[in-house]
Each structure stands twice: as structure tokens, then as C-alpha cells.
Amino acid sequence: MTLRLSGVGPGAPPPGDGAAVELPPELLEFQLTLALPRSGSVRDLLASFDAYINQRLPPVAAVTHQVPVREVAGWRVTADVYRPLGEPPFPTLVYLHGGAWVMGAPSTHRRLAADLAALGLLTIVVDYRRAPRHRFPAAVEDTVHAIGWARDHAAAHGGDPSRLLVGGDSAGANLAAAALATGRAGAVAAALLCYGIYDVHRALPVLADLLGGTDPATQLYLEPEDARRLLDDPRLHPERYCAGFPPTLILAGERDPLFAESAALADRLTAAAVHHELVVVPGAPHGFLQLPTHPSHAEGLRTIDEFLRRTGIRTVEH
């Protein structure tokens, strides 16, 4: 295991044209607390700051929206595919967006997807099924299927299926870890897990404002009976089933309300003798990879870039 406290400098100016939009204080407060805003819903709060979160995307070679992955239970699972600049084949990242399993979409993570593609990764952002309309295990099943789909179809988009990664942020990191924990993801070269959730029941008190509380009858992710019954399951508690994980980057913010989740996963990976790095960005809140003018955003991307180089997944400049 490597534990690093990553130094944060002033951060590079965001890419793109025009002046950067400054970090809204209300958005920073939310990412420091994960509490309900003073007025309106969390969904409305995040939507109101889309111009900040998704400003000034770095250049990529192409973006293909809503690529069909599968149809299930009345939902058309698709993915947005971000192709890097440069010559293929590219290492391929299956990316699961955050949003507490009930919010978010590929469109809410446009800047982050482009940032990852700018690191030389063919980035496949999956529009998985979300609760409460599609409760657990729908999103986990979509994740497992999307990894297999990427293995079969990445080459058609310039990807290298022999360098397949899986990753995500927040609830998306949970889904990535859950897919690995089930043993159904197949061969994966590495995992990029950003400020995630690795024991759903343990994290529920922190997520209560986003998920309708902690009571099995009111929380929105699981069916109430599953919330009561499934107290030891790789899809909900992936840290307990991590012995087969690939080399893993655990990226965490020092001021993230969910920081204990990342620390606990690192402890489990250490006990399982799995190669991993826990990198803690000082002063960083939750969701810092979507705060493009916060210094921790640039530091987080540098950390991912260095991990890709150290693991040999990416060897050419981008």
C-alpha cells in the first residue's frame, strides 16, 4: 500500500475559452456536508451550478453520445464515449458517475469525462439505471454488463480492451467496486475509485439527506426487505470482498464527510495484500473532481495521471 498526502498548489487555470466561473459557496458547502441545502432539493442545487461544474471542457478528439449498451426493464442503458486526442489504441475506462444512486447522468459529468479523456483514457460513461425507479441491484447489474460490453466494443471506438479499467466517483465508485467484488467483471487492469462508498449500510447515516433517511422503509436505494436482509453482500459491502481487486487508486478528500469509507477500503486492501494507493488531498471536500477551480481538482487529476504511469497503463504523453 502507498499512502500519500498529496500537496495542493494554486491549481492550473481551467482549459477552454473565456473566463472561469468561480466556485459557488453554496456548492462548496454542500460538498463539505452532504446536507440538504437551505432551500430546494439537492438535485435542483446541483442543476443550478451546472455551468460551473461543466465549464471549459478540455479538448478531446470526439464524443459519441448515447451509444446503446443494452435494454432492460424498460430502460435503455447507454454510454457517452469520450475519445482522446492522439493515436489509438487507448487504455479504456468504464466510468460510473456519482449521484447517490438516485441522481446524476453522463451529462452531469461532462467536464470530468473530458478531463479523464485528456489523460489519454477512452472514457465510457455509463447511463445506468437509477433508484428509486430501479432499485438495487439494477445499477450493479448494469455496471457488470457495461464492463463486458466495453471489453467487446472498445476497439471500435479506439480503445484497447487489454488495458481495461473501471472507476467512478462517490456512488459510482461503489458500483465499480461492487462489480469487482462480485467476481463477474472479468480481467481488469486497474481501478480508479474516487471518494466512494464501500459499505452501504455504514455510509447511510452520512447519505441520509440524499437518500430519504436511514430507515429501511424510507431510504431510496434498496428495497426495504433487502435493506434489512442483505447485511453481508459483495454488491453492498465490496470492501469485504476485495481480495481479487486489480491495482487500485483510492482518491479521497481530507474534508470529505465520506472519508472514512476510503480509509476503510484501504485497510481491507492492505489486509488482502492487494496493490493499492490511498491518496488523500488536503483540504479537499467530497466531489472535488467536479470543482474545476478548486485546487484539489487539478491535484486529483495529477494523481490519476501519475497512477496510470506508475502502473504502466499509459506510457505515452497526452
Side-chain angles (χ1 to χ4, degrees):
M1 168 188 170
T2 300
L3 169 61
R4 291 195 290 124
L5 285 173
S6 186
V8 176
D17 298 324
V21 180
E22 294 303 316
L23 174 57
E26 299 89 346
L27 179 59
L28 179 59
E29 180 183 0
F30 169 73
Q31 298 291 17
L32 287 168
T33 64
L34 297 182
L36 287 173
R38 295 183 181 89
S39 62
S41 68
V42 172
R43 188 186 304 271
D44 291 342
L45 174 80
L46 296 176
S48 72
F49 295 128
D50 180 79
Y52 170 79
I53 293 169
N54 288 301
Q55 64 178 300
R56 309 181 78 195
L57 275 64
V60 298
V63 181
T64 307
H65 296 285
Q66 297 185 329
V67 177
V69 174
R70 72 166 176 166
E71 293 190 20
V72 56
W75 184 271
R76 187 169 175 260
V77 178
T78 65
D80 288 358
V81 180
Y82 288 70
R83 179 174 172 140
L85 299 172
E87 291 298 317
F90 307 104
T92 299
L93 171 65
V94 178
Y95 195 81
L96 293 308
H97 65 78
W101 306 286
V102 298
M103 297 178 291
S107 62
T108 64
H109 285 58
R110 303 188 304 278
R111 167 68 192 261
L112 178 51
D115 282 331
L116 293 168
L119 298 180
L121 299 171
L122 180 76
T123 302
I124 300 171
V125 188
V126 183
D127 191 14
Y128 57 84
R129 288 173 289 169
R130 292 177 288 282
R133 178 180 176 186
H134 300 279
R135 296 196 182 219
F136 171 88
V140 178
E141 293 298 314
D142 289 348
T143 299
V144 171
H145 185 92
I147 295 169
W149 179 91
R151 187 173 287 112
D152 293 338
H153 297 275
H157 297 272
D160 179 357
S162 72
R163 291 182 289 162
L164 184 65
L165 300 87
V166 62
D169 62 286
S170 195
N174 165 263
L175 295 175
L180 295 170
T182 65
R184 296 165 53 203
V188 173
L192 305 178
L193 303 180
C194 306
Y195 38 85
I197 299 152
Y198 309 110
D199 183 320
V200 170
H201 285 88
R202 183 180 60 210
L204 277 177
V206 181
L207 300 169
D209 281 353
L210 308 182
L211 282 178
T214 61
D215 189 280
T218 63
Q219 57 74 41
L220 300 174
Y221 180 44
L222 296 95
E223 295 291 352
E225 182 55 30
D226 285 344
R228 298 184 185 97
R229 178 176 59 89
L230 298 178
L231 301 180
D232 186 12
D233 188 293
R235 300 166 298 175
L236 297 172
H237 316 96
E239 67 174 37
R240 305 178 196 175
Y241 298 86
C242 65
F245 276 30
T248 298
L249 173 64
I250 307 169
L251 185 61
E254 181 187 33
R255 300 181 67 190
D256 183 357
L258 287 167
F259 173 77
E261 292 292 307
S262 294
L265 175 61
D267 287 344
R268 295 275 189 164
L269 290 170
T270 298
V274 173
H275 174 76
H276 66 285
E277 300 178 20
L278 170 62
V279 179
V280 182
V281 181
H286 192 70
F288 60 87
L289 291 177
Q290 289 192 281
L291 304 179
T293 62
H294 194 280
S296 57
H297 171 268
E299 184 60 28
L301 293 175
R302 279 194 291 268
T303 298
I304 294 171
D305 182 57
E306 292 166 1
F307 175 79
L308 296 174
R309 293 172 185 271
R310 280 193 297 273
T311 54
I313 289 168
R314 213 203 73 213
T315 56
V316 298
E317 292 295 329
H318 278 274

